[in-house]
Amino acid sequence: MPPDERERQYVQFITHFEGNIVKFCTDASDDSYDAQELMQEIFAALWEALPMLRPTSTRQQQNRWLYRVMQTTLIRHLRHRQHRYLTTTAMANTGDDTSQDLLAELLDDLCAELPSGERTIVNDTLKGYSISEMAKRHNTTTAGIKSRMTRIKKKLRKIYDRKYGKQ
């Protein structure tokens, strides 16, 4: 794809889906700085991934594709935040703990503030249960488990930010 055509397609795509991107970043972040940072990462990821989008895609297909790119970018963004926390904690810790031990300790500390039902879902996730297995164990649907997991992640992020400051 010629550079001018790629830029035109990118601007057109961003113009059409900008509201979706802003809403996604706002919902996924606790403050405007983090939302702006995530938005910039998504814009960069879209620029890189745009040649993979078929020009004949419908708006609905483009929206699904956009959502996948945004989810992937969000996961990378959150892992980077987690990595920054672990690096800072590991440098301050003089013991022999590994980053896995630090992560487990951090997660235990954060989960202590969750209700027991939500802690059970976190523990099931750590044990490697699939979504469908967890749905059966908790007598609900897979959509119900996914919804609970999303709420739990947001709660954990808020607890983390309150206890350790925004990273």
Side-chain angles (χ1 to χ4, degrees):
M1 173 183 311
D4 291 344
E5 176 62 21
R6 182 179 183 186
E7 186 174 334
R8 185 194 63 72
Q9 187 181 8
Y10 178 77
V11 169
Q12 184 180 15
F13 187 88
I14 295 298
T15 302
H16 187 269
F17 290 106
E18 183 176 18
N20 298 30
I21 297 168
V22 170
K23 181 166 178 10
F24 180 87
C25 294
T26 303
D27 289 348
S29 304
D30 292 332
D31 62 36
S32 61
Y33 176 79
D34 193 46
Q36 287 293 330
E37 189 177 304
L38 176 60
M39 199 176 316
Q40 291 304 316
E41 290 176 31
I42 288 173
F43 287 148
L46 287 171
W47 175 259
E48 293 298 319
L50 196 61
M52 293 180 268
L53 181 64
R54 290 184 307 224
T56 58
S57 299
T58 65
R59 287 291 183 198
Q60 185 178 19
Q61 290 169 329
Q62 290 177 354
N63 194 35
R64 278 192 226 125
W65 178 83
L66 169 64
Y67 189 71
R68 283 194 307 271
V69 170
M70 290 189 305
Q71 280 183 318
T72 304
T73 306
L74 175 61
I75 290 168
R76 192 173 341 118
H77 176 78
L78 293 174
R79 283 184 180 154
H80 180 71
R81 281 180 56 181
Q82 175 187 10
H83 175 71
R84 284 189 304 207
Y85 168 78
L86 289 175
T87 302
T88 304
T89 306
M91 287 173 26
N93 188 353
T94 57
D96 294 329
D97 293 345
T98 64
S99 62
Q100 289 297 327
D101 293 336
L102 289 171
L103 183 57
E105 183 180 319
L106 171 65
L107 191 57
D108 286 343
D109 185 41
L110 297 176
C111 287
E113 295 191 27
L114 294 175
S116 64
E118 292 177 350
R119 280 196 307 266
T120 304
I121 291 175
V122 171
N123 288 331
D124 287 352
T125 303
L126 294 173
K127 290 176 185 173
Y129 286 109
S130 69
I131 299 290
S132 59
E133 290 171 330
M134 289 170 49
K136 288 176 188 172
R137 287 174 50 86
H138 296 273
N139 197 26
T140 188
T141 63
T142 56
I145 289 294
K146 289 178 183 178
S147 177
R148 286 182 188 174
M149 290 174 78
T150 300
R151 285 193 304 268
I152 291 168
K153 288 176 193 175
K154 286 182 180 180
K155 282 183 182 180
L156 288 172
R157 190 177 314 123
K158 285 180 182 177
I159 294 167
Y160 174 84
D161 289 342
R162 180 175 41 81
K163 289 183 112 178
Y164 300 102
K166 296 192 186 287
Q167 294 290 319

